[in-house]
Amino acid sequence: MRTEDPLFLTIGAVYTDDVRLPGACHVHFVRSAVAHARIRSVDVSAALQAPGVVAAFTGADLADLPELAPPMAGMINARMSQPLLARDVVRYVGEPVAVVVTESRYQGEDAADLVDVDYDVLPPVIDPAEAARDSAAVLFPAAGTNVAVSFGDAAEFRADLFDGCEVVVSRTIVNQRVAPAPMEVRAAVAAWNEDGRLTAWIPNQGAQGTREALAGMLGIDQAAVRVITPDVGGAFGAKFGADPEHAVVCWVARRLGRPARWAETRNENLVGMTHGRAQRQTVTIGGSRDGTVTAYRLEILQDSGAYPRFGAFLPFLTIMMAPGPYAIPRAEAAATSVVTNTTPVGAYRGAGRPEATAAVERAMDLFAAEIGADPAEVRRKNLLPKFTEPHTTDFGTVYDSGDYAAALEVALSAAGYQDLRDEQAKRRASGDVVQLGIGLSCYVEITGLGGEEGGPSENATVEIHPDGSATILTGTSPHGQGHATVWAMLASDELGIDVDKITVKWGDTDLIPEGGGTGGSRSLQQGGAAVQQASRDLSGCSCARGSAPPVPPSRSGRTWAWSRWTPRQARWRCGASSPSTTRARSSTRCWPRGSGTAASPRAPRRPSWKKSSSTWRATR
């Protein structure tokens, strides 16, 4: 049993919707029921007369706030920004057009239905292929195009790429749009302190990136925002940063001078949270009839949804991994991301890299079928040979090492591949009504990507207390990955402190101002490495850059070490800290985390919240 499990198995942990602030009002969003329309008017007068309604706001009330700009400034069309509440035009079903604020949650569900929105319906553009045509209706007239960003140009593809190929196969396939649908839907709780500073509780994958996004949408300095991450019930890439709804909840709290809260319904989640995938891929593969692949081309049309979010950037990652683990002498790729009148697309489970695998593996199957060869044999013949020095693909991606052929053989043996093929042939020959399909896939993925704010790096603080216990502060942000257990194990191995005496903390921007969050399989490689190195530094163990200096005596009875990990270098420092140092303020953690062991689980009571000294704190 993991360190954090007793909590989840007893009271169920504390999610954002469990954060109850005294006097909090409830925010409800009125969402567009049409995919594309001009807004003639939004009438909230009837809603204001409903029982329990505190206030109602439209896009005009928030007109002074910045719009949500597309990510990757300078790359994605900046004229495709999104207002926090739609003002003049709605561009997808589910886009927020107004908010109703009530004293109780259920009053708002009824009152929101009373908001009257008058639409002048416009032709929707749903198909990305249609959106890419010059004749298509343009979603953003100021942009003059539906193209959000292009990566390469298909017009510049080599005319001779497939020269000399005995076999050439081409197919257009759809990597379908999906809804992430985490068990915990989106939510937010917001309160402004007397000093004008915002505290926001939001389920996310990195509090630091969420702080930056919130500050940008509210038009305030990041120093004026504190983001706290309660327990998170699933994310899958869709909870990085912050959405317009989160900023609106914070704005409502400031406007009304009282805490505000919001938790969407499952229906809202399915149309409002960013979707994933949504690529149309045209693959062309060529080679010899002996099974050797000599050329591969991938053309991608990315559906970005109504507003370019991270989804518009996905093809860049798809192109990076386009050849997969194969040695293909000639390969090229290009992509176009377009906007459509659909839910915006964001990151989801692998974010662009699984799409590359789906394309090249489908191509390998098509090629094998065309030449009548076993799909496993085609893969075996074309995999990169074993390498221990970095290998650079035609697309500039560096693979550190690999023995893909050996991995394939292990998989085939474990699956009993030949027995499966024999059984498949037997059923086909007999006309069995239950046929047997066999799928193969060879997969390599870039992992350990940087955080939202830059390249690969992470930080950790390890502190030893007078009673022999220790505290770890990490910039990663677990939501099911088990960091509380693993990070404690890493520190325990270096420091000799029992795992159950080590507390891991994360997800509070006042306590941990820097961090890259959790996503892209980066946490153990970067966050875990930082914890390990800080622990080694604290114990004086030998590190990657030599021996760390011994830890000096601490007059306060506690010592600490800090480490930032980067691929090329690591820095350590150690010294004494006073009880008032920021990095030692474990009291700023306001809810229970893994607070027991498998042998003696402890089930803390849910916290209630009160305001003290202009700061929201938990009491038990």
Side-chain angles (χ1 to χ4, degrees), residues 459-475:
N459 69 85
T461 298
V462 179
E463 183 181 63
I464 299 177
H465 305 290
D467 62 359
S469 63
T471 298
I472 298 171
L473 307 182
T474 177

Side-chain angles (χ1 to χ4, degrees), residues 346-358:
Y348 173 74
R349 303 206 60 150
R353 285 97 74 197
E355 290 87 323
T357 298

Side-chain angles (χ1 to χ4, degrees), residues 287-463:
S288 305
R289 290 200 172 273
D290 67 358
T292 303
V293 174
T294 57
Y296 176 62
R297 175 182 290 160
L298 173 62
E299 187 173 359
I300 304 165
L301 181 60
Q302 174 71 57
D303 184 352
S304 300
Y307 298 97
R309 302 285 290 273
F310 189 76
F313 182 72
L314 291 179
F316 180 86
L317 299 173
T318 305
I319 290 173
M320 284 182 67
M321 303 307 298
Y326 299 106
I328 304 176
R330 303 188 303 275
E332 60 186 7
T336 301
S337 292
V338 297
V339 290
T340 62
N341 291 118
T342 59
T343 299
V345 175
Y348 173 74
R349 303 206 60 150
R353 285 97 74 197
E355 290 87 323
T357 298
V360 73
E361 291 301 305
R362 187 76 177 104
M364 286 290 172
D365 281 343
L366 290 168
F367 184 75
E370 183 67 22
I371 65 175
D374 188 311
E377 183 57 35
V378 170
R379 286 169 170 81
R380 184 184 287 118
K381 193 175 189 69
N382 291 284
L383 286 170
L384 285 164
K386 179 180 179 180
F387 60 99
T388 57
E389 295 296 324
H391 166 78
T392 302
T393 72
D394 286 349
F395 301 96
T397 306
V398 180
Y399 297 177
D400 55 4
S401 62
D403 190 354
Y404 306 132
L408 175 61
E409 297 306 323
V410 169
L412 294 175
S413 176
Y417 180 73
Q418 190 55 53
D419 292 339
L420 291 173
R421 285 296 182 194
D422 292 344
E423 176 64 21
Q424 181 185 57
K426 177 182 175 182
R427 294 189 189 187
R428 288 180 176 178
S430 66
D432 196 320
V433 294
V434 179
Q435 292 293 311
L436 177 64
I438 302 170
L440 293 175
S441 179
C442 296
Y443 186 40
V444 61
E445 178 184 348
I446 181 173
T447 63
L449 295 170
E452 294 177 281
E453 300 174 352
S457 66
E458 195 49 83
N459 69 85
T461 298
V462 179
E463 183 181 63

Side-chain angles (χ1 to χ4, degrees), residues 188-256:
V189 178
W192 295 79
N193 297 326
E194 294 171 3
D195 59 2
R197 197 159 180 261
L198 168 66
T199 300
W201 293 259
I202 295 174
N204 62 73
Q205 294 180 237
Q208 297 77 14
T210 298
R211 175 191 57 192
E212 179 184 14
L214 270 184
M217 287 186 283
L218 293 171
I220 60 178
D221 192 270
Q222 289 190 50
V225 180
R226 178 189 184 189
V227 171
I228 298 175
T229 308
D231 291 300
V232 178
F236 311 119
K239 288 182 180 176
F240 264 122
D243 293 329
E245 291 94 333
H246 297 122
V248 171
V249 173
C250 296
W251 181 89
V252 168
R254 181 172 60 182
R255 177 69 173 260
L256 298 181

Side-chain angles (χ1 to χ4, degrees), residues 422-564:
D422 292 344
E423 176 64 21
Q424 181 185 57
K426 177 182 175 182
R427 294 189 189 187
R428 288 180 176 178
S430 66
D432 196 320
V433 294
V434 179
Q435 292 293 311
L436 177 64
I438 302 170
L440 293 175
S441 179
C442 296
Y443 186 40
V444 61
E445 178 184 348
I446 181 173
T447 63
L449 295 170
E452 294 177 281
E453 300 174 352
S457 66
E458 195 49 83
N459 69 85
T461 298
V462 179
E463 183 181 63
I464 299 177
H465 305 290
D467 62 359
S469 63
T471 298
I472 298 171
L473 307 182
T474 177
T476 63
S477 187
H479 38 279
Q481 290 85 353
H483 294 182
T485 297
V486 178
W487 281 204
M489 291 172 67
L490 289 169
S492 176
D493 286 347
E494 303 297 335
L495 300 173
I497 299 173
D498 290 343
V499 169
D500 60 1
K501 292 184 178 180
I502 300 175
T503 300
V504 181
K505 297 185 177 184
W506 64 90
D508 184 334
T509 56
D510 276 8
L511 186 63
I512 308 157
E514 299 180 33
T518 289
S521 304
R522 69 181 300 274
S523 293
L524 185 60
Q525 297 179 62
Q526 294 166 30
V531 170
Q532 183 184 59
Q533 293 175 4
S535 301
R536 286 177 175 176
D537 189 17
L538 195 58
S539 66
C541 289
S542 175
C543 296
R545 292 180 62 190
S547 297
V551 179
S554 169
R555 293 181 180 178
S556 66
R558 66 173 70 182
T559 58
W560 60 272
W562 171 90
S563 177
R564 171 179 284 276

